[in-house]
Amino acid sequence: AQSVTQLDSHVSVSEGTPVLLRCNYSSSYSPSLFWYVQHPNKGLQLLLKYTSAATLVKGINGFEAEFKKSETSFHLTKPSAHMSDAAEYFCVVSETPPGSGYSTLTFGKGTMLLVSP
Amino acid sequence: EAGVAQSPRYKIIEKRQSVAFWCNPISGHATLYWYQQILGQGPKLLIQFQNNGVVDDSQLPKDRFSAERLKGVDSTLKIQPAKLEDSAVYLCASSLGRGGYEQYFGPGTRLTVT
């Protein structure tokens, strides 16, 4: 079974300061991990994904995440926040059970990022 | 490339009424998903199709929810009868295949049950 824990329901930062959104996961198999962003009244958009290649993954809009197997973490970071980054962010784990031929996504509860001027 | 289309965008119904949502995935995407996102929570998978066959419907409340993808392209999700707790955003997503491919999400349908 797989699960995702996003450690903060809300994170507040000032524009120009670093962003850290924390995510821990559990998985019975070698998972794929994703971060999605959801702006108000818009669909979910993929920020970045880890699929067992490089452990440091770069995504869109300056975001990156590091896969740490020993800590079962996949934290999302950005060096300098922009007002347009204000949105809800979801950490997602995907498993493909051997022999099943299909994968399922499990979403965390989300972290709301607030950016102040 | 056109994205995932959903309609309607908003729907308000009374409890015990029925409602249907429609989804048209990205052209060529074999796998289609329906998710339920309750306010303050992450999306929860309801059902997954591979072409016109159901791959996973383990979290679909089958006493009131049904879904079909008859021709392996667009899909409908129905709720009958609706309950207050069904108020949520219903998201449709599609992907090229079913093994770890990126899922592309539609804008969702916001359902309010009064």
Side-chain angles (χ1 to χ4, degrees):
Chain A
Q2 57 192 21
S3 67
V4 179
T5 302
Q6 291 185 243
L7 298 165
D8 307 290
S9 60
H10 293 81
V11 169
S12 295
V13 301
S14 299
E15 192 174 22
T17 64
V19 175
L20 170 64
L21 305 183
R22 299 181 295 165
C23 172
N24 288 115
Y25 71 93
S26 69
S27 174
S28 302
Y29 310 103
S30 296
S32 296
L33 293 160
F34 306 81
W35 277 97
Y36 278 84
V37 61
Q38 188 174 36
H39 290 273
N41 298 315
K42 293 194 176 179
L44 286 155
Q45 180 185 19
L46 181 67
L47 273 181
L48 50 81
K49 62 181 177 181
Y50 165 78
T51 55
S52 76
T55 57
L56 182 61
V57 182
K58 294 188 183 297
I60 62 172
N61 300 334
F63 285 93
E64 62 182 38
E66 186 172 8
F67 174 71
K68 292 187 176 180
K69 186 175 181 179
S70 60
E71 299 175 10
T72 61
S73 69
F74 190 57
H75 301 334
L76 181 70
T77 61
K78 183 174 180 178
S80 177
H82 192 273
M83 294 295 290
S84 62
D85 295 328
E88 190 157 25
Y89 292 79
F90 292 94
C91 181
V92 183
V93 62
S94 173
E95 286 188 332
T96 304
S100 70
Y102 69 92
S103 61
T104 59
L105 298 190
T106 298
F107 283 73
K109 292 187 175 183
T111 298
M112 185 67 71
L113 177 64
L114 307 170
V115 183
S116 58
Chain B
E1 176 182 85
V4 176
Q6 290 187 246
S7 67
R9 292 294 310 276
Y10 305 91
K11 189 73 177 179
I12 302 174
I13 61 172
E14 295 181 351
K15 60 183 179 184
R16 292 187 289 273
Q17 287 187 324
S18 62
V19 65
F21 313 127
W22 175 82
C23 172
N24 188 254
I26 292 173
S27 178
H29 280 196
T31 311
L32 185 147
Y33 314 79
W34 282 102
Y35 290 86
Q36 180 192 57
Q37 185 177 16
I38 292 173
L39 186 65
Q41 299 181 20
K44 181 186 82 170
L45 179 70
L46 292 175
I47 189 167
Q48 180 181 170
F49 291 93
Q50 177 71 13
N51 296 312
N52 61 350
V54 176
V55 173
D56 180 7
D57 63 355
S58 56
Q59 298 195 80
L60 186 74
K62 299 180 186 65
D63 58 334
R64 297 184 301 106
F65 286 65
S66 64
E68 60 184 13
R69 194 185 183 200
L70 292 175
K71 297 183 179 179
V73 181
D74 56 349
S75 175
T76 56
L77 175 70
K78 297 179 182 177
I79 307 175
Q80 181 179 12
K83 293 185 175 181
L84 295 176
E85 58 261 35
D86 298 331
S87 294
V89 176
Y90 291 85
L91 296 165
C92 179
S94 70
S95 65
L96 276 172
R98 56 182 185 175
Y101 289 93
E102 176 183 347
Q103 294 186 21
Y104 295 82
F105 286 81
T109 297
R110 183 177 298 277
L111 173 67
T112 302
V113 182
T114 63

